[in-house]
Amino acid sequence: MTKDMNIMKHSFSGKRKNLANRRMRLCCLPAVVPALFFLLMPHALVYGQQAHAHSAEPVVLETISVTAERIEAYVENYPNQVSVMGQKEILSRNMLSVEEALNAMDGVDVKKGSGIGSRISIRGSGNSGGVLVLLNGRPLNTNQYGGVDLSAIPIDMVQSITVFKPPVPVWLGPGASDGAVSITTRDRGEKEKNRSSKIRLAGGSYGVVEGSVSHQLKYDSDMFMASAGGSHADGKRANSDRNTGSASLHWDRERSEAQRIVLDGRFYASKHGSAGPLDNPTPDARQTYRQASLDGRMSGFLEDNGEYALNLYGDTIDLKDESQSGFTSTLDDMKWGIKGERCWNDENDLWSVRLNGIFETDEVDHTLSGFHRRVAAGLGAQADRRWNALSATVGMRGDQTSDFDFSPGFSGGLSYGLAAHWLARINAGYSVKTPTFGQLYQPSHGSIDQVRGNPDLDEERIWSCDAGIEYRKDKDHLVQVSFFRSDIRDPIVYQRGADRVYQPVNADRSWRHGMEATFKRLLENGLTVDLNAIVQDSEVCETGKELPYTPAVKLKLSLLYTLKNSAVRLETTARYVSDQYSESENRKDQRIDAYATMDLKAVKPFKIKVLAAEWFVHIENLFDADFEAHYGYPDDGIRFVSGLNLTF
């Protein structure tokens, strides 16, 4: 304990000196906030009055689409590489969580962390916290760790999941240097029943017991949805047990044909052990985590050729950390923000212009590292244009935080229709990634991933580009080949010292480039083949070593088939990941060896009187492959979960 406090005392001294040197003036923030309100509030307030005053006259919406349809059009017509998983696919493939759904998408891998949150990798990147996650347009990433605990989002409330591969359009917001994930909640679809309920009960290996219940009610112009669930798992290693519980409420109102209001409230809690790596275990370390969120969103159409959206949101996090030494620390994180967007397009949908802005404040109070506040604000604009077979997009944004410099952003691209269903794309972008509070200040004392902060870190500055060609007949007939590259100035990499503690440092420069190929085909016999392959190379220029968690080869093959006589849905997924390293020195004793795994899934629908039921079984790591997703943290090996879905 004395050693930790001495180290932190030295860290605080360096932090104060560093922040004093680079603390910038906040003179731009008072200018950004009024601009944001000017951009959004007049239309949000006035339009409600206009919609009411003209309710007798229909609003012409022939050229306007809802958000999900606009994303599908963006996938087909604009340069950025985007993939979507909708509610129908989520249900048919019996996705049990948002993590599982993302893990099934092309070019995406999700690994559960040893503590809180998940490591999301898009297109083979190993950069931690470089993926922006949005829920109904608002950012979920925390300034503390940069990642997102996807377990807090119940899969029953998800309407669609959209993955943007880098370079990401700047209108999505800052923090998307390695891609973005946009999640939308359930809407008032015409095919939705007025009243429905779903119960899921399951159990499996390593003491897994889980259950969830959700209920949906449509009444007049309102839709209500509630969801609650809980789980317990013992884990294979000692002190790796986990208990979780969650509750969510959703309210959706269509005030008119052109205006929608959505409110979401979520609560998530977990209590779990932190086993630590094999060479530095933490037998008595425990964490208790609670998160509550409240989101409000108002969106709608502006006359015949425009849209607007306004998000107000807030999060509160309470973390209690008990280390193996017996010392207990706490972390309190409170974030709130406002984000808005306006979009104009012509009646033929040939061009569109988007303006967006965000203002956010985040306060963190930690027992050892003290109190920190970050205020951030940004404005962005993007224009899209189509000329027959040619489409173009260009966007620029600027963001500023209270503890780092001004951060510009740029994205642009071209796509050209070569022939029926064939499209060629080229994109480029520039972004800045600000270090998280965890990277700057977080000490290690037995339970939080054994990482110590570095208050002298600088921002990462990333240039990225890609070029590719695709054949897309429909969602079941797709061929894509893309070549990508990213160059980073001052990349943040992790080094592990003799004390077995990781610390982030800035290298001078790094690069990563490679190729991604995707093949998806529905065969005549009903078998769907989905193959994704990523081949890449990377280097930290001053050392000549590979970037951490950036394997040279990643392969994923999924086969989906429905038995005609019994309607049983079958799915198998094989994965291969080549050698990789957990730290920038690439030491052989910390190499994560290559591995191959196979998963199986079966879903059998049947009836219990008036109930629609499904029996399911999921088997992971069927052949019990011995591998590590993180250095020192072995996978549990073969495991399964089986249960029932009841819908009525």
Side-chain angles (χ1 to χ4, degrees):
M1 177 61 188
T2 303
K3 180 180 178 182
D4 279 342
M5 294 305 294
N6 288 336
I7 292 174
M8 285 308 302
K9 182 178 179 181
H10 175 74
S11 176
F12 283 144
S13 177
K15 174 192 69 177
R16 286 193 297 264
K17 180 179 178 181
N18 180 68
L19 291 182
N21 289 336
R22 69 184 179 192
R23 188 173 301 277
M24 53 86 179
R25 296 184 179 92
L26 298 182
C27 59
C28 69
L29 296 185
V32 171
V33 179
L36 180 61
F37 278 87
F38 175 79
L39 179 68
L40 300 164
M41 292 302 292
H43 291 273
L45 297 175
V46 173
Y47 187 75
Q49 299 173 357
Q50 291 178 341
H52 178 75
H54 297 85
S55 58
E57 299 179 3
V59 180
V60 180
L61 301 177
E62 287 82 3
T63 62
I64 302 297
S65 308
V66 297
T67 301
E69 294 173 348
R70 278 201 171 278
I71 290 178
E72 292 179 359
Y74 199 90
V75 172
E76 296 176 359
N77 300 319
Y78 288 101
N80 302 91
Q81 192 167 341
V82 184
S83 58
V84 182
M85 179 180 289
Q87 181 192 11
K88 182 179 179 180
E89 184 175 359
I90 290 173
L91 293 175
S92 67
R93 298 178 67 174
N94 193 49
M95 299 300 177
L96 302 181
S97 65
V98 175
E99 292 100 323
E100 182 182 354
L102 274 172
N103 224 11
M105 299 182 71
D106 296 326
V108 183
D109 287 289
V110 180
K111 298 296 183 184
K112 188 69 178 178
S114 58
I116 299 168
S118 303
R119 177 186 290 269
I120 305 175
S121 172
I122 294 180
R123 197 178 263 169
S125 172
N127 193 2
S128 179
V131 176
L132 173 66
V133 181
L134 303 168
L135 180 65
N136 291 335
R138 76 89 142 188
L140 291 176
N141 304 64
T142 66
N143 286 322
Q144 174 61 20
Y145 299 109
V148 175
D149 196 338
L150 298 172
S151 302
I153 307 173
I155 190 67
D156 290 341
M157 286 194 171
V158 173
Q159 178 70 24
S160 67
I161 302 174
T162 305
V163 172
F164 294 79
K165 298 179 181 179
V168 172
V170 295
W171 60 266
L172 291 177
S177 57
D178 291 297
V181 176
S182 177
I183 303 170
T184 60
T185 54
R186 296 277 286 271
D187 58 20
R188 295 175 47 82
E190 294 182 0
K191 296 181 180 180
E192 292 280 359
K193 297 180 180 179
N194 289 334
R195 185 191 301 267
S196 65
S197 299
K198 183 175 182 179
I199 298 175
R200 172 179 287 146
L201 299 171
S205 55
Y206 301 118
V208 170
V209 178
E210 56 187 31
S212 65
V213 57
S214 62
H215 179 72
Q216 176 180 300
L217 173 65
K218 290 172 65 176
Y219 178 76
D220 196 15
S221 59
D222 296 296
M223 185 183 81
F224 302 91
M225 189 171 183
S227 175
S231 68
H232 168 80
D234 293 327
K236 184 176 183 179
R237 297 181 60 198
N239 196 39
S240 61
D241 60 293
R242 180 181 294 266
N243 295 284
T244 68
S246 65
S248 300
L249 293 174
H250 172 88
W251 172 66
D252 183 336
R253 166 171 285 187
E254 291 184 354
R255 293 189 60 185
S256 66
E257 291 182 343
Q259 189 178 70
R260 182 183 179 205
I261 299 176
V262 178
L263 288 177
D264 283 290
R266 300 181 304 281
F267 177 78
Y268 176 79
S270 70
K271 187 171 185 178
H272 57 274
S274 179
L278 291 176
D279 64 348
N280 191 17
T282 56
D284 300 314
R286 308 287 296 177
Q287 282 188 339
T288 303
Y289 174 79
R290 292 190 293 266
Q291 178 185 3
S293 302
L294 183 62
D295 303 341
R297 178 177 174 88
M298 181 166 59
S299 60
F301 302 107
L302 295 170
E303 299 175 350
D304 298 342
N305 59 346
E307 301 175 52
Y308 72 92
L310 176 66
N311 290 75
L312 292 171
Y313 57 91
D315 295 318
T316 178
I317 293 175
D318 178 21
L319 174 65
K320 180 182 178 182
D321 193 324
E322 302 173 71
S323 73
Q324 59 179 336
S325 67
F327 177 75
T328 299
S329 67
T330 60
L331 182 146
D332 298 310
D333 188 346
M334 181 171 290
K335 179 177 76 171
W336 68 269
I338 177 173
K339 180 182 179 182
E341 176 180 321
R342 282 190 56 180
C343 176
W344 296 266
N345 59 282
D346 73 318
E347 59 182 9
N348 296 317
D349 231 5
L350 296 178
W351 62 263
S352 65
V353 176
R354 297 175 182 266
L355 297 179
N356 60 74
I358 186 171
F359 177 84
E360 185 177 281
T361 179
D362 198 347
E363 296 180 349
V364 172
D365 191 2
H366 190 269
T367 303
L368 293 181
S369 60
F371 177 81
H372 306 284
R373 177 189 287 116
R374 176 172 292 173
V375 180
L379 292 172
Q382 177 166 317
D384 302 322
R385 182 69 165 91
R386 292 193 320 178
W387 299 272
N388 295 324
L390 178 67
S391 297
T393 180
V394 62
M396 299 186 69
R397 70 175 298 112
D399 296 279
Q400 192 157 10
T401 63
S402 56
D403 54 347
F404 280 91
D405 295 330
F406 175 77
S407 301
F410 162 81
S411 64
L414 295 170
S415 66
Y416 185 76
L418 302 174
H421 310 302
W422 286 92
L423 197 68
R425 308 171 185 261
I426 185 169
N427 299 275
Y430 174 80
S431 61
V432 176
K433 181 176 177 290
T434 303
T436 65
F437 288 151
Q439 291 173 325
L440 292 168
Y441 314 119
Q442 182 61 56
S444 169
H445 45 90
S447 185
I448 304 181
D449 284 340
Q450 306 196 5
V451 175
R452 199 173 305 284
N454 178 5
D456 296 318
L457 290 175
D458 292 321
E459 308 102 308
E460 293 182 336
R461 302 185 300 279
I462 305 107
W463 279 100
S464 57
C465 62
D466 81 341
I469 188 170
E470 73 169 41
Y471 171 83
R472 184 191 297 267
K473 184 177 180 181
D474 51 48
K475 67 176 184 177
D476 295 318
H477 296 80
L478 172 68
V479 179
Q480 290 178 334
V481 178
S482 299
F483 298 89
F484 59 87
R485 181 178 174 93
S486 65
D487 288 89
I488 307 177
R489 294 286 184 180
D490 299 318
I492 298 174
V493 297
Y494 284 83
Q495 297 177 347
R496 198 185 197 207
D499 58 359
R500 299 177 181 175
V501 173
Y502 287 92
Q503 185 176 38
V505 297
N506 285 113
D508 179 59
R509 189 172 70 88
S510 69
W511 54 261
R512 182 175 69 94
H513 60 210
M515 180 191 73
E516 179 186 15
T518 300
F519 173 83
K520 185 179 294 185
R521 179 68 187 272
L522 175 61
L523 304 179
E524 293 182 358
N525 60 4
L527 177 68
T528 298
V529 180
D530 190 347
L531 173 64
N532 181 262
I534 297 171
V535 180
Q536 63 180 345
D537 191 14
S538 66
E539 183 179 293
V540 179
C541 296
E542 60 189 275
T543 64
K545 305 296 185 179
E546 296 178 13
L547 282 167
Y549 293 108
T550 309
V553 178
K554 300 183 82 168
L555 303 175
K556 181 164 57 179
L557 172 64
S558 295
L559 303 175
L560 294 83
Y561 185 72
T562 300
L563 300 177
K564 296 181 180 180
N565 295 332
S566 60
V568 174
R569 304 192 298 273
L570 302 174
E571 180 176 341
T572 180
T573 301
R575 304 172 192 269
Y576 171 79
V577 179
S578 63
D579 294 344
Q580 54 186 311
Y581 296 90
S582 63
E583 39 70 44
S584 58
E585 290 92 344
N586 290 184
R587 296 199 299 267
K588 290 184 178 180
D589 61 339
Q590 290 194 274
R591 184 180 66 187
I592 303 173
D593 294 331
Y595 64 89
T597 63
M598 178 172 287
D599 305 332
L600 294 178
K601 185 187 297 186
V603 182
K604 166 64 177 176
F606 61 97
K607 288 279 189 179
I608 303 178
K609 294 185 178 179
V610 296
L611 297 181
E614 290 179 330
W615 168 80
F616 64 87
V617 59
H618 294 195
I619 303 176
E620 297 182 64
N621 198 358
L622 175 65
F623 299 114
D624 200 18
D626 183 15
F627 73 95
E628 299 171 330
H630 304 283
Y631 177 75
Y633 293 87
D635 185 79
D636 286 341
I638 184 173
R639 53 200 181 275
F640 73 91
V641 61
S642 180
L644 284 174
N645 294 324
L646 301 175
T647 304
F648 54 93

